[in-house]
Amino acid sequence: MDENFYQSAVRKAVSKGAKLLEQIEKGDISQVRCDMSGKYDGGGIYDINGKNRLLLARFLMWQDRLPDNAEELLSMLMEEEISALRQDSFQGFGYGLMILTALLNRYNHNGKYQGLFYRAKDANFDTACGYDPNECEKLLSEKIDDLSPADCIYMLIDLELYDEAAKLAEKYAEDNPPENEADYQMLIYINNYTGRKQYNLPYYEAVADIELERENPSKVSLALGNLIRAYIELGEYDKAYIAIGRAREFIFKVSEWNKCGPGRNYFEYAAELVCRMPEKAVSIWEEWRYFSVKFPDDMSMDCLKKHISAAEAVGDAEAADIFRKALDRKMDKLSKNLSSQEMCADLRA
């Protein structure tokens, strides 16, 4: 295996940070300034320039010498990162914050930037729980030559350089035929993020077979759920119908299955199959209607919309009305939550 192939791709990708640095030195910070115009699928906002700050942070950490204005540059990038973390609908944090912290800590004489690090810690729930400025320094010891092929792919995915990551993923899959569940899961993750979902079906099938042999209801439900989603996305509706039938005996054994992720997914799969398989729509609806109308408030908004369509497809006006009312309740709650988040963001600012 030519590991240098992977590491060279990382070097080439990270070198793009030089152009960002050049723009900033000319007075243009538009590519690294916090810009919350990104929209998550299903609702919520994120900073579209977070990937650029991460790229620049990676570029700077691997330079033999930082630019003369490094302290000013890093403090500016840190301010933008904190602003994004405070406003992101899904909170969280990543390597961008940690690398910037480690680099800026070089200038933290007499605790000059302790207040900034404290603000980063207070940015959101996840930073409060998981961000430790004192633990960030070790990241700077990471060298490109020490990265494994999988590390290189993950790094390009983290930088949202999906085309570059996809090229590495293709070679990686050729060089590393999967041998166990961990291998299958890793390749599934890589393919999902590099636009290669069409290659995942045999991996999902293999994982489902493994879990079916183990017979753990939660793990079987999750594995079959992932397989059903893959079948639906590929238009293999008959196979999805068979798989959802196999899953029923396991999902109902999971405690409060309707409130867990896999359980909620099964509501959605059933509604989709009702709409996509008219010849089996009534039988699928009859199998799932009892649970659907019993737990509408456990569904996502997207799932409720699909259930409205499914109910209308089989002429069940009563159920459609139940789902519309549940959707109205959820939209009203979301509206109130967003207003509360905006108020909190204003107070933090």
Side-chain angles (χ1 to χ4, degrees):
M1 182 190 302
D2 182 11
E3 294 200 359
N4 188 56
F5 172 82
Y6 301 92
Q7 296 159 355
S8 295
V10 170
R11 285 192 178 87
K12 182 178 180 181
V14 172
S15 69
K16 296 178 181 180
K19 186 175 181 180
L20 285 172
L21 182 58
E22 182 181 347
Q23 287 179 312
I24 294 172
E25 290 175 340
K26 290 179 179 179
D28 179 9
I29 66 169
S30 62
Q31 298 301 304
V32 295
R33 176 179 286 144
C34 174
D35 181 347
M36 304 303 295
S37 61
K39 306 292 184 183
Y40 285 113
D41 291 340
I45 59 174
Y46 67 91
D47 173 26
I48 63 171
N49 284 332
K51 62 181 183 296
N52 292 333
R53 288 194 301 277
L54 175 58
L55 175 61
L56 183 54
R58 287 285 187 192
F59 174 77
L60 291 171
M61 71 175 280
W62 281 320
Q63 298 305 299
D64 294 331
R65 181 176 178 276
L66 291 176
D68 293 337
N69 66 337
E71 183 176 358
E72 178 185 357
L73 170 65
L74 291 168
S75 61
M76 179 272 291
L77 293 172
M78 191 75 168
E79 291 281 4
E80 298 300 323
E81 190 72 12
I82 292 171
S83 178
L85 293 172
R86 288 181 179 277
Q87 299 177 73
D88 191 289
S89 299
F90 287 86
Q91 303 190 34
F93 70 98
Y95 286 112
L97 174 64
M98 294 188 289
I99 295 171
L100 290 173
T101 299
L103 291 172
L104 191 58
N105 199 45
R106 295 177 176 180
Y107 305 91
N108 192 32
H109 309 301
N110 299 316
K112 182 178 180 180
Y113 291 106
Q114 287 304 115
L116 191 61
F117 297 156
Y118 177 81
R119 286 171 50 210
K121 180 76 171 175
D122 192 48
N124 62 44
F125 178 81
D126 292 316
T127 55
C129 295
Y131 168 66
D132 185 347
N134 298 319
E135 291 293 316
C136 296
E137 189 71 22
K138 59 187 177 183
L139 287 175
L140 300 185
S141 64
E142 182 181 68
K143 305 298 182 185
I144 293 179
D145 288 337
D146 297 331
L147 298 175
S148 70
D151 290 335
C152 292
I153 297 172
Y154 291 145
M155 186 170 293
L156 294 182
I157 290 173
D158 204 26
L159 290 167
E160 298 184 28
L161 299 173
Y162 299 126
D163 290 341
E164 291 89 337
K167 292 177 183 178
L168 299 193
E170 184 174 356
K171 179 172 175 56
Y172 186 84
E174 293 174 358
D175 294 343
N176 299 273
E179 298 179 354
N180 52 50
E181 185 178 3
D183 291 342
Y184 292 127
Q185 296 289 11
M186 182 170 64
L187 288 172
I188 286 170
Y189 174 87
I190 290 172
N191 287 340
N192 281 342
Y193 276 93
T194 56
R196 293 163 48 86
K197 287 185 178 181
Q198 69 273 23
Y199 298 105
N200 280 338
L201 186 56
Y203 303 151
Y204 281 125
E205 290 175 333
V207 171
D209 287 340
I210 291 171
E211 296 299 351
L212 281 165
E213 290 182 5
R214 296 172 178 170
E215 296 187 332
N216 179 293
S218 295
K219 293 183 177 180
V220 171
S221 298
L222 178 60
L224 283 175
N226 290 333
L227 177 59
I228 292 165
R229 168 52 58 201
Y231 281 145
I232 291 175
E233 288 180 349
L234 293 173
E236 301 277 1
Y237 304 131
D238 287 331
K239 291 182 179 180
Y241 175 73
I242 293 172
I244 201 171
R246 296 177 71 188
R248 281 172 59 90
E249 65 175 291
F250 293 97
I251 190 64
F252 293 153
K253 293 178 182 178
V254 177
S255 177
E256 295 190 311
W257 66 271
N258 52 292
K259 296 182 182 295
C260 70
R264 291 176 175 177
N265 289 340
Y266 278 99
F267 281 132
E268 190 165 341
Y269 302 150
E272 288 190 39
L273 290 180
V274 168
C275 295
R276 296 170 188 262
M277 303 183 73
E279 72 283 3
K280 291 185 172 68
V282 174
S283 61
I284 298 172
W285 187 248
E286 288 176 349
E287 291 175 359
W288 285 90
R289 185 191 189 281
Y290 169 81
F291 302 103
S292 296
V293 298
K294 187 176 181 180
F295 304 117
D297 291 317
D298 292 327
M299 300 180 192
S300 68
M301 288 192 292
D302 189 51
C303 186
L304 284 168
K305 291 175 183 178
K306 291 178 180 179
H307 267 72
I308 293 170
S309 297
E312 291 176 342
V314 296
D316 192 337
E318 179 185 9
D321 185 59
I322 291 173
F323 302 134
R324 286 194 189 93
K325 289 179 179 177
L327 180 60
D328 289 341
R329 289 193 296 272
K330 198 167 287 286
M331 292 181 68
D332 183 59
K333 182 178 180 180
L334 177 62
S335 178
K336 291 179 180 177
N337 287 342
L338 289 175
S339 296
S340 177
Q341 288 177 11
E342 290 172 358
M343 185 180 298
C344 290
D346 290 341
L347 290 173
R348 286 172 175 170

